[in-house]
Amino acid sequence: MPVISRFPGGVSSIRDRRDFLKTCGTAAGGVLLGNLSGCGLAPPEEPAVERPSHLVRFGHTDLYVSRLCQGTAFRKVSRKGDDPEGLSILSHCIDIGVNFFDSSEAYGWGGSETVLGKAMAGRREQVVVCTKAAPVDGPESERSVFTRESLFRKAEGSLKRLGTDYIDLYLLHSPDEQTPREDSDSPPHDVPTREHMEQLADSLDDLVKAGKIRYWGVSNHLARQVGELLELGKREGKSPIAGLEDYFNLVAADRGDFMVQELFPLIRQGNLGLLTFSPLGEGRLAPGRGIPDGSPLKGPIEALDAVANEMGVTRPQVCVAWVLSHPEVTSVLAGAEKPEHVHTHEVTMKEITRRELLASGAGLGLLAAAKPTPLAAAPSKRTDIVDAHVHVWTPDTEKYPLAPGFSKKDFWFPSFTPEDLAVHSRPHGVRRTNLIQMTWYGLDHSYILDIIAARPDNFVGTGIVPAVTDVSLARPDRTMVDLARRGVLAFRIRGKSTRPRLGDGPRWLDHEGYERMFQAAADHRLALSFLMSPPDLPELDRMCRRYPQTPVIIDHLCLIGRLGTFPEEQIASLCAMARHPAVMVKVGAFYALGAKKPPYLEQLPLIRRVVEAFGPERCMWESDCPLQALESPNTYEAAVALIQDHADFLSESDKDQILVKTAENFFFKR
């Protein structure tokens, strides 16, 4: 829990920023970040859980799954519940760490669920189960309508066959009789699609409330239906849609275009998990098949083989890696039919990383073969990266005394000096840094001023004027100008929802001191750097309209994703600030957002939206060290790699702008 201390004059301050970031919670009235006032404490966070590094978070859920999912829709292996071969495959998957399994009541009409139940008997806690409700009741029955009664009956049947009392992820296998399967279709029974979607969502929500399933989603549905379900999930007290299952591969043609152009944006909007199937294109990309002259598969297969040869792996492994290279894809169904196939798929993730696939010279040949998303060129090694946000302090409290009310017990770590930073930053090409004044030094900027004076080509600073939580100096503008002469070129302000409340209403910047700060920043090209959350943006928007020339920096992507999800309305409100030409965004603090662990791929859709709105020239990379480097399993390298290696929607010049030039132009080229 954050410890509250008092500055002179009764001004409150959050003493432990690390605890602040960990304990911000949803406040009453819909405010995203909780009120951390001295008279109220945020709820404690659940204890950290150690998870294997190969597991990733499935959308906004608390399910952590392997990137490879083993299916049970066997083609060559019997789907009967007593088949020893199927049992051997599934058991071997669990043995080697594959924990995600996909089934359906329609696979062998219960047989596949039965054998999966046998495989996970006694090991339920090691397994994440996805199974599906079919819109038919047997191999000879007609497509019917999902109702609350039928979904409860189907779920209870699956639970019995699986030998478990809950299903992790329950999907509608395909549209039912009342749900259009094509965009040109009309509902067969004069029932509006939205109304039927609401009935389905309510029925699945009832299954969640009954404890029979944990999360729900759909498979093979239209984008507009997914969009309707996303909207329905926003209703108070209702469980939202959590995930999708769909067809996606290198040669998916129209379906691939649908995925990229229509479904991927919805996945980013709702932070949904995505399980894709058929990475080999229903066997068309499998080795050993002849390719007739003139076949449209010739180009893709030649490109795949070139990549496989260059990387020393197999064509199927590259197919799987290509699907997983898309940040919207959580896991891919790799339907092993033999235990040795399981091993091959396991090797895929160990030998082919996303970075290696995108950096492969031969991999660029895939550009001509697939339209869905272009592959980035191999990243260049930069040696001039600017880190726009690092906290430093020294254990020498005699030379640099702490503010009243603080002691060394408040330090996040015993120390974090520029020398400590260099150990983490220099190997990754970082040579210049913006240092952030620590709260426990109060208004005394001596420590960062001495660092800047000793190495002005390498360091600038962001100061506190006059204090973190209030404007208490009569003329803060004069203090800003004085500090700016010594290299402090930005000044930290906490948004209302990230500081103790002062009873100042929604216009928390409506204060003469803040007005002086905005005017001084405009007059002297100094930045006001805001630690804030989305509910604070309307007031900042008002001030930016009053002071359009004032440089403003929004730290940490406005903390969107702090609670694990990336709500569309929050992203839209941040992107709307791009209408103010002087507003910039720091892209970083990845350790505190989304899944809160490397490789942070779930944050790429948010980053893409922000860069598209503001342009790379108004986005600057930050690490937010030392937390990014020292809070395991996070690393400094991973923070650089997210932009340099994984953000394949950025051109090399865009990456250079974000990693180097935006911060360089504002802080170092004046």
Side-chain angles (χ1 to χ4, degrees), residues 241 302 354 546 582:
I241 181 173
E302 288 178 348
R354 175 181 168 80
R546 286 188 61 191

Side-chain angles (χ1 to χ4, degrees), residues 145-163:
V145 177
F146 287 129
T147 64
R148 183 183 186 281
E149 180 183 8
S150 69
L151 286 173
F152 265 75
R153 173 172 46 81
K154 288 172 176 290
E156 287 164 355
S158 292
L159 287 168
K160 183 177 180 180
R161 289 186 291 272
L162 289 165

Side-chain angles (χ1 to χ4, degrees), residues 416-434:
F416 195 76
T417 65
E419 292 71 28
D420 296 323
L421 170 66
V423 172
H424 300 279
S425 64
R426 290 187 69 83
H428 306 294
V430 177
R431 295 294 182 270
R432 290 167 293 177
T433 305
N434 175 36

Side-chain angles (χ1 to χ4, degrees), residues 218-415:
V218 296
S219 175
N220 304 308
H221 279 60
L222 301 177
R224 59 185 167 96
Q225 294 160 357
V226 174
E228 289 169 348
L229 292 172
L230 278 174
E231 289 300 312
L232 289 166
K234 297 177 182 178
R235 297 173 298 163
E236 185 175 357
K238 299 292 185 179
S239 58
I241 181 173
L244 308 173
E245 182 175 333
D246 220 306
Y247 178 83
F248 186 55
N249 55 63
L250 184 65
V251 292
D254 291 345
R255 191 67 184 180
D257 290 341
F258 159 78
M259 293 289 289
V260 171
Q261 297 168 14
E262 299 185 46
L263 215 53
F264 280 6
L266 293 171
I267 289 168
R268 295 191 293 266
Q269 174 185 329
N271 191 16
L272 303 179
L274 174 61
L275 172 62
T276 65
F277 59 88
S278 199
L280 299 187
E282 298 169 304
R284 291 176 294 161
L285 299 176
R289 297 196 178 190
I291 310 173
D293 290 339
S295 169
L297 296 176
K298 185 175 179 63
I301 287 176
E302 288 178 348
L304 287 167
D305 287 344
V307 175
N309 290 336
E310 179 177 315
M311 302 185 76
V313 295
T314 67
R315 187 196 301 171
Q317 287 175 305
V318 177
C319 290
V320 171
W322 183 87
V323 174
L324 288 173
S325 72
H326 297 78
E328 295 81 2
V329 177
T330 310
S331 186
V332 62
L333 264 170
E337 300 273 337
K338 296 180 180 179
E340 54 265 34
H341 293 168
V342 177
H343 174 72
T344 299
H345 295 323
E346 179 197 21
V347 171
T348 299
M349 292 315 300
K350 289 186 176 179
E351 294 191 358
I352 309 178
T353 66
R354 175 181 168 80
R355 184 192 313 182
E356 289 166 347
L357 178 66
L358 297 180
S360 165
L364 298 177
L366 294 173
L367 279 171
K371 292 168 57 179
T373 52
L375 298 180
S380 60
K381 180 64 176 178
R382 293 174 176 82
T383 58
D384 55 354
I385 294 174
V386 180
D387 191 334
H389 198 105
V390 170
H391 300 268
V392 291
W393 65 94
T394 174
D396 186 356
T397 55
E398 291 188 10
K399 184 175 182 180
Y400 301 102
L402 305 181
F406 287 95
S407 70
K408 288 185 177 181
K409 293 180 180 179
D410 300 303
F411 289 1
W412 304 341
F413 306 99
S415 69

Side-chain angles (χ1 to χ4, degrees), residues 494-513:
R494 288 183 184 268
K496 179 169 181 174
S497 64
T498 64
R499 64 193 178 106
R501 296 193 184 283
L502 303 173
D504 46 359
R507 289 196 170 191
W508 51 272
L509 287 172
D510 193 8
H511 189 291
E512 182 182 0

